[in-house]
Each structure stands twice: as C-alpha cells, then as structure tokens.
Amino acid sequence: MRQNRFLRMALAAAVISALFTSCTAAFAGASAENVRGDVLVLFHIPIQASSVESAAFEDMLLSSARGIAESAGARHVRSYPAIAAATGVGMAHMASDSMSTEELGAVLSARQEVAGVYPNHRVRAVKTPNDPSYRELWGMERIGAPDAWEVSVGSRSVIVAVVDTGIDYTHPDLAANVVKDLDGQQGFDSVNNDRDPFDDYGHGTHVAGTIGAVGNNSVGVAGVNWTTGLLGVKVLDDEGYGTDAQVLAGLDYVLDQKRRGLNVRVVNMSIGGWLTPSEGAPYRVTMKALSDADVLMVSAAGNETQDIDNPIGYFDLREGWVDLRGKLCYPACVRLANTISVASTGFGNNLSSFSNYSPNYVDLASPGEGVLSTIPDNDYDSYDGTSMATPHVSGTAALLAAAHPGETASQIKARILNGVTPDANLNGKVARSGRLNASAAIRGETPGPGPDPFVSVTGVTISPETLRIAIGQSATLTAYITPANATNQNVNWTSSDKSIVDGVQSGLSATVRGVTSGSAVITVTTEDGGYTARCAVTVSGSNPFPDLGGCSVGGGGVLLLMLIAPVLLLAAGARRHG
C-alpha cells in the first residue's frame, strides 16, 4: 500500500512550525514515489454548478483543463467530471515529457485559475504474501459472521466497489456476485483506460472474495456476504502499483455511477501511500464528494508498523529507507462522515506486527492474518495485511445495508463502530479500542434519531482578506470554519511565495511576516473537503521600528498607534471568535 496524503494537523497535535510553503513547495525533494513530469491540478470552474448535469459542463471542463495544460507547455491526460460536478472544483491530470514535476508545478501554480498543484504519487496494494497452505476462515468466526448470517446473507442489489487491482470476474466462487455497471460494462480500468477491470495481479480478487465469495455453493470459501454485488474498479497494475491519478479516476467513475442511480453503498480501498498533509487535497475533495453521496468508504490503515500520529519510516526492499516524518497515510487518514479506517489483528486478537495504528486516524481492527480467499485462475490462497482486514469491514457494511436497506451510510458506520468487541490489546491503538463484530452490528438498535455526531465542514473564511505590511512586520490571520461546530477544525496554511511572505501556523491562526517587497497570497485550506480562503498580502518598504512590530511608516506616537491599531483589533477579534 502506498497511500496518498491525508491532512493531519489534528487539534491534539503540536503546533506545526514554519509550515508556510508555496504551491510548488510540495514538489521539493521529489523522489521515485512521484511520477516524473506528472501533476494533479485543482482549478476554478468558470460556470455555476447549476449546469453540472449538462454535456456543456463536461465540454467546458475539458476545454478549461486543456487550456491550462497548453499554457504551461504540458498535455492534458484526464479530467474528473463527476468530482467537479459534485464539488464545483475542477481536477485534472497533466503531464510533461520535457519538464520535471517541480518545473511543471511552478509554471502551473503561477496561473490565477489554478487553486493547487500536486505531484502524482505512486500507490500500491496493502498486502503481504504468506505461506500458501490452506487455512480455515478463522476471521469469519472471529467477527461473529455465522450469527449475523441468521439475520441476512446479503443482497445482490447492494453494490460494493472494489477499488484495487481488479477482479477475476470468471472465478467460479465470484462470478455469480459480480455485477455490471449502468452502461452494461464489466466495470472500469484506469490503468489501461478501458472498461475491463480483469485482475492480472490477484490482490483485488482476494479482497473481493472476503467481501462476497458466493456462500453455500459447495465451492471454495464464503464471503461475509453470500450474495452481493461486486463492482470491479482496477486502479493498480499487474505488480500491484498505480498512481494517485489512477485511483482518483476510479473514484470519479464510482461517483458518476452512483449519481446516475447505481446502488453503490460501499467502496473498499485496500490501497494507499504516504503523503504530506498539503498533498492530500485531491483525495479529500474526491472522498468528500463520495461521502456526501451517501457512500461508505473503508480504507486499510497500512502495513508499515507505524504510529500514524508520529510516523518515523521503514525499510523497503525495493526503495530502501522510506522517511515518513511529517506524512500521513492516504486514503486511510481522510476523516469524513462516511469513512472508516481499519487495522489488522492476528489469531490471538493482538494488533498485527505489521499494522499501522492510531487512536485518531484508525477506527477499529479486524482479522488480517492468514486470511484464505479467492485468487485468479480458479484458485485460493492465504494472505496477510490490513488489505485483508479491510474487506471484513466492507463486507459487514454491505451485509448491514442488505439487512437494513433504509439506513444511511452514516447509520451503517455507527452500527459497525458501536458494535465493536472491546479489547484491551487495542487500547490506544484504534479509536474504538476494539474489534469488528458483525453480529452485534447487524442486531444492534437503529442509530438515531438525532443529528449525526459527525458534522461536516461546509466552508472557510479568512480575516482579513487583504493585508499591507512592511518588511520585517508581522500580523495575524484567522480562519473561521463553517459551521462553527464542525467536527474537523484542522486547516493548513500556505504562502504563494515564501520569499515575500513567510509565517508560522497555530491551528486556526497564522502569524505572517514580510520578508521582501512584493505581493503574495496566503491560502488556508480545510482538511474536511478541501475548502479554501485567501488573503492578498502586500509587503513594502523597510521596517524602521523593528522593536515595535515593524510599522512601515515613521512619525510620532499617534501615527504609530493608528498603524498598529488594526492589528490589535484583529487579534482581539480573533480572541472573541475563538
């Protein structure tokens, strides 16, 4: 697994110092984990969302993306119309054969309509191979599946999108549960850019078997659902690797099918990679759109043996030492109303030695060692990994959707999290300090009534929106989240040009300082959905009063007070609103 970045900056985390970076700073130190000359671009859409269902909207989106790419001497690879239609934010994959990732990012970031530019990272499956000897389906017993099957064994109308290496849809233990999409196609393949998601690696087929291998058919194994709808979405290649752009294309496809009426209730993502918080915007925007569309997204926590709240790094046989400091694993660390992150446990219910963990970013654990399931060519094998733990949870979510068809994704999530089996082995390791219990989840009381305890962000504003300071002078900017009681109050601050305006962030506030004469834009971005607000800063002159805060105009005490007063009032306003 090699996940794409997720914004962390939790309220409980320490103040992040000196994090003001330009839009292109994310490209510094680009490595083999980035695709050279590839970027993902978020850009402003020049029409209203009222037109999003029309063909004209897609034509406009494509034209805008191509225009931006051509202006930078790059080529447009792919746009993401379903995400743009749902969010109002344009997203495109662009590439250059002559420029590096850093060079292309710098050129694109200078364009006014571009909101953000991000490297296209490689992503991989989150699976560790194990001895292929036969093992019993111990995980099904451990999660209480046999008792849950007394209530329901699933429904073909409940569709689970398996975003992975594809599915061997000819496997005799899967074929009856594999569905086609609204276009009569087998699914989607963003690696080969076609509609045939056949699995040429094996990982996705293994995941699919745990979710929904046909039960009670005297063949092979049984999934958490004996009957369900498995939709193949291939985003990883025949070695289990892919890119951010390919994963996002797969999710864009799922969102499009959902918006058109396909009953996609769950997305399983046993994939991922590590990214800095500022690089996670494309994932946050995309997953927010799916969350708002009432789709439950279940992600693997990853296999790097890391404390996600304080990651260090690990040694990879293919890449050597991988430094994870300052990064988060994606998509597991995206925290939205309808997301769940899963760690792995072994036969003794202990956290698996390879599993990542965090009481802030990982919700619960489920069986992930020695999991027997389907693999291509009519075969079976046992794998280890949080990839194997995750489909136990996704399968349970689909089972709950079949048993309680009127419940929302948030209610299904609440059933799963409220029904965990407490386990002291998991205290401080996962948020619910427990293991998946499908029986308790399916038999529990209907969550609610009352508001969802998770309150999504709907916007952000910044005060002030314009600022004039002198070289050496500092001022405070404050972000205000809407609604005020939103669950995720974390934000990331960036400067369009650190050589002009630099700063330090502290939660919803940031202290900016003039470095050299010129103009720069300070942007604040929310973790929940990628909403942004901007302050235009002009830096001029020298600072004749360095000990008094750096006012740019000299004179008597009264004039000095007049110049300082707005900053003092701003600080007072921040205290009132904080």
Side-chain angles (χ1 to χ4, degrees), residues 24 81 142 207 273 280 302 340 410 430 488 525 560:
T24 58
R142 196 63 53 88
V207 166
I340 296 178
S410 295
V430 297
N488 189 344
T525 305
L560 179 62

Side-chain angles (χ1 to χ4, degrees), residues 474-536:
S474 297
T476 300
L477 303 179
T478 303
Y480 298 99
I481 299 291
T482 305
N485 66 333
T487 301
N488 189 344
Q489 296 276 334
N490 305 328
V491 297
N492 182 43
W493 296 82
T494 58
S495 170
S496 64
D497 193 335
K498 289 177 62 179
S499 68
I500 296 175
V501 181
D502 202 349
V504 177
Q505 86 169 63
S506 178
L508 293 176
S509 296
T511 301
V512 298
R513 176 178 177 274
V515 180
T516 59
S517 296
S519 298
V521 176
I522 302 299
T523 301
V524 62
T525 305
T526 65
E527 286 191 357
D528 186 353
Y531 296 100
T532 61
R534 296 173 177 82
C535 174

Side-chain angles (χ1 to χ4, degrees), residues 33 306 311-325:
E33 292 194 5
Q306 300 295 309
I312 298 171
Y314 66 97
F315 184 81
D316 185 272
L317 293 176
R318 176 169 172 167
E319 300 173 10
W321 177 254
V322 180
D323 188 354
L324 299 179
R325 291 174 295 179

Side-chain angles (χ1 to χ4, degrees), residues 88 114 185 302 353 408 577:
V114 171
Q185 300 294 322
S353 61
T408 65
H577 288 88

Side-chain angles (χ1 to χ4, degrees), residues 402-416:
H404 307 285
E407 294 187 358
T408 65
S410 295
Q411 288 176 305
I412 291 171
K413 173 182 175 178
R415 279 184 175 275
I416 291 172

Side-chain angles (χ1 to χ4, degrees), residues 411-473:
Q411 288 176 305
I412 291 171
K413 173 182 175 178
R415 279 184 175 275
I416 291 172
L417 299 187
N418 293 342
V420 299
T421 300
D423 194 322
N425 292 322
L426 299 172
N427 288 345
K429 302 297 185 181
V430 297
R432 291 301 174 118
S433 299
R435 296 178 279 108
L436 174 65
N437 187 325
S439 175
I442 203 169
R443 295 179 181 277
E445 295 183 2
T446 300
D452 187 330
F454 192 104
V455 181
S456 296
V457 173
T458 59
V460 62
T461 57
I462 193 171
S463 179
E465 294 182 350
T466 60
L467 181 66
R468 296 183 65 88
I469 55 178
I471 295 173
Q473 183 181 356

